[in-house]
Amino acid sequence: MHPLDEAIDLRACALQDTPHEFTGTTHPAYANMVGPFGGTTAAQLLQSAMLHPDRLGEPVALTVNFAAPVADGDIRFVARPVRTNRSTQHWIIEAHQSEGVVATATAVFAVRRETWSDVEAVMPANLPAPDAVPRMPVKGMPAWPQRYDMRFVEGAFPTAFDEQEQTHSRSTLWVRDEPERAMDFASLAAMSDSFFPRIYIRRRRRALIGTVSLTTYFHADSALLAQVGTRHVLGVAKALNYRHGYFDQTGELWSPEGQLLASTHQLVYFKD
C-alpha cells in the first residue's frame, strides 16, 4: 500500500450513536519538523467525508483551519453533512485528539454537470519536460518532502539560508507522489500544501512558521484526475503579502496537457 493510502486509511466507528466518526493516525512517512505534514491532515479530513455513506458527488472546495499542533498518534474525525441540496452538499469536519479539537474543516461537494467551460489562468509555457529537470535532493530533510518527486524550474528550496533576500517568492516545479501513485482527490488535497513556505524562498532565512488556514478549490473531476494518472503535474506558487507576522501564499496545479486541476490559498503565521 502506498504511504498516502496508509495515512488516509480511516476506520468507521462501529457504534450506532456515532455514525459520523472515523479514526485514523498520523503516518511517519509524512512527518514534518514538528508533527505531521499539514497536507496529509487535510487529506484525512477530506477522506472522512469521502468515506461517509451520505456523501453526494465529488469535492469542489475544502478549507482547513489548523486550530492547534497535531500530535503524533491517533486522530478522531467527525464529518457531518450539514446541508444537502439537489446537487450540492455542505460539510463540517473536525479532527480531535486527547486535548481537544486540533483542526476544523468545511467542505463543499457537488454533482458536476457538463456546461460551457474556459480557463483564464495561464499555465507557464516553454518549460522543460520533467525528465529534463533534476529532482530536488531530499537528504537530511523531514520525511514529507521525501514523499514527493519535486523538479524545480525556478524558486527551489534554498540549499543554504544565506539571508540573500530575493525580489519575489515565485516557484515553478514539476511534482508527483513518491513513490508514484495515481492522482485522486486525497493526493490532490495533500499536494496543494506541498509548496514550501514562501518566506523561505523570499528571504532565504530560517523562521518559525505554521499554516493557519488552507483552502483548496478542486477544478478537476475524477475523470480528469484519472487522465493525469501517475505523471508529474506542474505547480506554481507565490506570495502576495507579508505583514504583522502573517503571509499568504497562492498556488496552482496543472495537468501536463494544461488543465487547471486545483488552486490553493493559505495563510501562514511566521515569527521574525
Side-chain angles (χ1 to χ4, degrees):
M1 186 181 290
H2 191 280
L4 181 61
D5 292 304
E6 293 176 349
I8 63 172
D9 185 21
L10 309 184
R11 299 168 296 282
C13 184
L15 301 177
Q16 292 184 352
D17 59 345
T18 56
H20 306 296
E21 294 192 10
F22 300 81
T23 57
T25 188
T26 58
H27 196 292
Y30 291 95
N32 205 345
M33 291 179 291
V34 178
F37 167 50
T40 311
T41 303
Q44 290 174 321
L45 287 157
L46 181 66
Q47 186 73 352
S48 66
M50 294 288 293
L51 294 173
H52 200 289
D54 295 337
R55 173 173 66 90
L56 174 73
E58 297 179 341
V60 295
L62 173 70
T63 295
V64 177
N65 295 318
F66 296 92
V70 179
D72 293 331
D74 293 339
I75 310 175
R76 178 170 60 92
F77 298 94
V78 181
R80 294 182 295 113
V82 294
R83 174 78 185 219
T84 300
N85 301 315
R86 186 174 64 177
S87 60
T88 60
Q89 190 174 55
H90 299 261
W91 291 79
I92 294 178
I93 313 166
E94 299 172 348
H96 295 254
Q97 290 190 303
S98 58
E99 295 187 0
V101 173
V102 294
T104 64
T106 58
V108 180
F109 282 63
V111 177
R112 297 178 184 267
R113 57 190 178 88
E114 290 297 324
T115 64
W116 173 85
S117 300
D118 196 14
V119 57
E120 293 191 14
V122 178
M123 178 180 176
N126 302 317
L127 297 177
D131 291 344
V133 182
R135 183 182 175 188
M136 181 190 75
V138 293
K139 184 178 180 180
M141 300 190 75
W144 79 262
Q146 302 177 44
R147 299 282 67 80
Y148 291 100
D149 181 337
M150 299 182 184
R151 299 168 183 258
F152 282 88
V153 178
E154 65 171 334
F157 188 80
T159 56
F161 286 93
D162 54 16
E163 301 192 11
Q164 297 299 307
E165 187 166 322
Q166 307 298 298
T167 58
H168 65 80
S169 63
R170 184 175 60 253
S171 291
T172 305
L173 71 153
W174 293 104
V175 57
R176 70 178 178 195
D177 285 296
E178 177 62 38
E180 294 181 16
R181 181 186 184 277
M183 180 167 281
D184 58 15
F185 288 109
S187 60
L188 187 57
M191 195 175 291
S192 294
D193 192 37
S194 67
F195 300 107
F196 291 109
R198 297 297 90 196
I199 197 167
Y200 290 169
I201 313 302
R202 174 69 186 273
R203 301 192 74 192
R204 298 172 67 98
R205 177 180 179 182
R206 295 188 185 277
L208 178 65
I209 61 95
T211 299
V212 177
S213 184
L214 167 66
T215 295
T216 299
Y217 298 116
F218 302 98
H219 304 296
D221 58 11
S222 56
L224 180 53
L225 296 183
Q227 293 177 20
V228 173
T230 62
R231 294 179 296 163
H232 288 85
V233 299
L234 185 72
V236 181
K238 65 179 181 180
L240 300 179
N241 190 70
Y242 311 82
R243 189 181 300 275
H244 298 156
Y246 293 90
F247 67 90
D248 70 301
Q249 62 184 48
T250 180
E252 302 164 2
L253 290 169
W254 296 83
S255 76
E257 291 77 27
Q259 294 287 338
L260 185 60
L261 304 174
S263 56
T264 180
H265 312 269
Q266 63 177 276
L267 186 69
V268 184
Y269 160 85
F270 73 95
K271 186 175 182 180
D272 200 356

